[in-house]
Amino acid sequence: MAFIRKFIISTWNSATITSWFNFSSTILSGILLLPLASKYLSIEELSFWLLLSIFSNLNQLADFGFNSSFVRSIAHAYGGESSILIYRNKASIRNNNLKPNWEFLFKIFSTTNFIYFFLAILFSLLIGLIGFYGLQKSINLLTDPMQGWICLLVVISSLFMKIFGNKYQIFLEGINLVSVVQRNKGLINSITIILASISLITQSSLLNLVILQQFGALLIIFSLYLKTKSYIRLNSLSHYKKASVSDKKIIYSLFPIAWRTWIGVLMSYGLLQFSGIILAQYETSALIVAYLFSIKIFEILKGFSNVPFYSQIPKMNILFIKKEFQKLNSIFKLRGSMTTIIFTLSAMIIGLFNVYLFNYFDINIELLNFDLWLVLSLAFLLERYGALHIQFLTLSNNIIWHIANGITGLLYVLLFIIFNKLDYELVESISFSFFLANLLFYFWYPAIKSYRFYKLNFIKLELFVSFPPILIILLSIFLNFYFD
């Protein structure tokens, strides 16, 4: 009984397992909500809903890079740091205080109030304008265009609250309570998907679907607010919270770090997401759905495979500031290899057997053909590899996101123009450009920086991180060629 009890507690508090539980709700959306949407919504409504999901998830761009910067700063303060510094090498870390610096930590947390209220207003207005012009064509194709405009308004209103409420997730993740965040998000997301699925079956309403999804997002914010408030009360930290105010010095220290991060996110995630909006202006609804659905599957696989590594980032931030580099390197090798292997294996299984899988789950949508799927799989794998090294280096506040993603983004745009001039299909232009941009710069530049900073052993690391995915891809190409 003691073993079972220990196992349950360990699972309950595991950042990785609870993160996978949260991402299982995303998979539930793919195998339950998505097939139902393809069945009960018209092709125009389905296309609009997939496009709308892009806008709904753009809160990842709304924080101007402050999200990860605040989490990292709170984690450093939790590890004992008393200021926000950029560490150019391992020797520059001089923190010897192993106790949490609560006074500095709550100064950082209080600063998030001002920053995120401002960002919520600014980004909601910006997305409102982009949505008004970018979704006009899709909305006008709906049987009831007014319903489309109401859906957009609901998403933008929810986006404001999601951005402003990010501060609670930042606090909890910064003090390494990742499991608390992921448990709450996973539970609420799962319930939301089930209720949305029931709504689709009983009412076939696009508007009800969107309202339920956004209401679930707001419930997550409220639950994290309650968890933050509870932690502060149980640990008798209210006096720190009351005494702290927004600190301009913290904003000035974080801004150079944050904007570099944001440029990187914009030039990677942003470009790929906006490619779907661009495609919607030119191509037929069926092709839009095939591309958007493929990208949505890749986003699910990327998120799921990221869990082993990304769930450890708050812990890695604390280990970094405490100078425990042997543990840090071990986590990077083990969790990095799990990320690349899980992504590659799942992408290849879907690429090879999607017809059988979709028939089994009654999904009435086709993916892109295997050749394009393979190109996008390679592109996302290269992106994941580069992102692992960027995240590892970012523990030091030494930000290269703007360089890595900026140059890669420019290459993507340039290559897209070239392929388009050569009369390639738009989907082909997007896919080839994304792959080549990552190959030419993104996957190797961050790795070089990371290797130099941490003095990593190339053979020992790549034997785990790179070699298995390469074998999986080669085997998949052979199987596709053999059974085609």
Side-chain angles (χ1 to χ4, degrees):
M1 288 298 292
F3 170 78
I4 295 174
R5 183 174 178 275
K6 185 178 180 181
F7 175 77
I8 292 172
I9 293 173
S10 176
T11 302
W12 182 259
N13 293 316
S14 168
T16 301
I17 293 174
T18 52
S19 296
W20 261 329
F21 167 62
N22 181 28
F23 271 102
S24 68
S25 66
T26 307
I27 295 173
L28 181 64
S29 175
I31 64 176
L32 179 62
L33 189 58
L34 203 55
L36 290 172
S38 69
K39 183 176 181 179
Y40 290 99
L41 298 179
S42 68
I43 188 69
E44 291 79 16
E45 288 176 326
L46 181 62
S47 176
F48 174 69
W49 178 61
L50 289 170
L51 282 169
L52 201 61
S53 68
I54 294 176
F55 285 85
S56 180
N57 293 327
L58 282 178
N59 61 306
Q60 297 185 47
L61 299 177
D63 63 2
F64 204 72
F66 277 104
N67 191 300
S68 59
S69 302
F70 272 121
V71 170
R72 189 163 52 254
S73 299
I74 286 177
H76 285 181
Y78 189 70
E81 188 58 88
S82 58
S83 59
I84 297 171
L85 301 171
I86 298 175
Y87 305 95
R88 297 302 179 188
N89 51 62
K90 293 193 292 186
S92 63
I93 307 171
R94 293 185 172 86
N95 174 53
N96 295 312
N97 181 16
L98 301 181
K99 295 181 179 179
N101 188 335
W102 291 113
E103 184 178 354
F104 182 54
L105 191 154
F106 274 100
K107 278 187 178 180
I108 298 171
F109 181 52
S110 294
T111 306
T112 63
N113 281 304
F114 168 76
I115 290 292
Y116 277 90
F117 181 71
F118 171 75
L119 290 175
I121 294 174
L122 179 66
F123 210 77
S124 296
L125 291 172
L126 178 62
I127 292 301
L129 288 172
I130 295 173
F132 178 78
Y133 291 104
L135 294 176
Q136 269 191 6
K137 183 177 179 180
S138 296
I139 289 175
N140 289 334
L141 291 174
L142 298 175
T143 305
D144 183 5
M146 180 56 66
Q147 189 180 79
W149 292 116
I150 295 173
C151 287
L152 179 59
L153 182 61
V154 169
V155 166
I156 293 170
S157 301
S158 173
L159 189 64
F160 174 86
M161 295 303 299
K162 285 194 288 186
I163 296 168
F164 185 56
N166 272 346
K167 56 187 178 180
Y168 304 115
Q169 181 168 335
I170 286 170
F171 175 82
L172 293 169
E173 288 187 346
I175 60 175
N176 201 27
L177 291 180
V178 177
S179 60
V180 173
V181 174
Q182 299 300 327
R183 277 200 309 269
N184 280 269
K185 292 178 74 172
L187 180 61
I188 295 173
N189 279 332
S190 298
I191 294 172
T192 301
I193 290 166
I194 293 170
L195 291 176
S197 299
I198 294 171
S199 174
L200 270 175
I201 295 170
T202 57
Q203 298 176 331
S204 302
S205 170
L206 172 65
L207 180 58
N208 288 350
L209 173 61
V210 171
I211 290 174
L212 277 170
Q213 286 183 300
Q214 300 310 313
F215 182 70
L218 297 182
L219 277 182
I220 289 173
I221 296 169
F222 183 66
S223 71
L224 297 183
Y225 159 73
L226 292 177
K227 292 295 181 181
T228 300
K229 188 176 180 180
S230 174
Y231 182 88
I232 292 171
R233 177 176 54 80
L234 291 173
N235 291 275
S236 303
L237 301 172
S238 297
H239 59 290
Y240 288 110
K241 186 174 185 296
K242 291 176 181 177
S244 60
V245 294
S246 296
D247 193 325
K248 291 182 179 179
K249 290 182 180 179
I250 291 174
I251 297 175
Y252 293 149
S253 298
L254 283 179
F255 187 75
I257 298 170
W259 77 260
R260 290 176 171 88
T261 303
W262 185 79
I263 290 294
V265 175
L266 177 65
M267 295 300 283
S268 58
Y269 177 84
L271 276 177
L272 191 62
Q273 297 302 314
F274 281 117
S275 66
I277 300 172
I278 294 170
L279 192 63
Q281 311 306 311
Y282 299 98
E283 299 289 352
T284 63
S285 293
L287 185 56
I288 293 171
V289 171
Y291 173 78
L292 291 177
F293 184 60
S294 297
I295 292 299
K296 194 174 185 69
I297 293 294
F298 275 117
E299 290 295 331
I300 291 172
L301 297 181
K302 187 171 80 170
F304 189 75
S305 62
N306 278 345
V307 167
F309 185 86
Y310 280 62
S311 64
Q312 298 299 306
I313 288 177
K315 179 181 178 181
M316 291 165 71
N317 277 311
I318 296 169
L319 289 174
F320 177 89
I321 211 66
K322 291 181 177 180
K323 298 185 283 189
E324 298 184 21
F325 293 108
Q326 188 173 354
K327 289 183 180 178
L328 203 59
N329 293 345
S330 296
I331 290 175
F332 181 73
K333 182 171 71 173
L334 175 61
R335 300 303 181 118
S337 64
M338 289 174 69
T339 290
T340 55
I341 292 170
I342 290 170
F343 173 81
T344 309
L345 186 61
S346 54
M348 291 300 98
I349 289 173
I350 291 175
L352 289 169
F353 306 109
N354 66 83
V355 175
Y356 308 103
L357 291 170
F358 287 7
N359 286 338
Y360 181 80
F361 290 110
D362 195 26
I363 299 177
N364 301 319
I365 308 173
E366 290 187 3
L367 286 181
L368 298 173
N369 62 58
F370 181 80
D371 291 341
L372 283 177
W373 181 267
L374 179 63
V375 170
L376 284 173
S377 297
L378 290 168
F380 274 103
L381 177 60
L382 292 172
E383 183 199 46
R384 286 303 82 217
Y385 178 83
L388 291 175
H389 282 285
I390 284 181
Q391 291 289 352
F392 199 41
L393 182 63
T394 299
L395 301 176
S396 66
N397 276 332
N398 188 15
I399 307 300
I400 61 168
W401 294 41
H402 60 307
I403 299 174
N405 295 69
I407 293 177
T408 304
L410 290 174
L411 284 171
Y412 172 85
V413 173
L414 180 62
L415 288 165
F416 175 78
I417 293 171
I418 292 172
F419 281 119
N420 208 33
K421 291 289 186 182
L422 294 173
D423 291 330
Y424 279 80
E425 295 288 340
L426 278 176
V427 170
E428 293 176 339
S429 298
I430 290 170
S431 303
F432 293 147
S433 300
F434 185 41
F435 165 67
L436 287 175
N438 285 316
L439 178 66
L440 292 173
F441 192 75
Y442 190 79
F443 98 97
W444 62 264
Y445 175 74
I448 287 176
K449 293 290 186 179
S450 173
Y451 267 99
R452 287 176 179 171
F453 187 94
Y454 292 101
K455 304 187 187 317
L456 301 171
N457 185 299
F458 180 83
I459 296 176
K460 288 182 179 179
L461 181 62
E462 300 307 330
L463 190 64
F464 287 88
V465 177
S466 299
F467 187 63
I470 292 172
L471 285 181
I472 292 169
I473 289 171
L474 291 175
L475 177 60
S476 300
I477 293 172
F478 169 77
L479 289 174
N480 180 68
F481 177 78
Y482 184 79
F483 291 107
D484 191 12

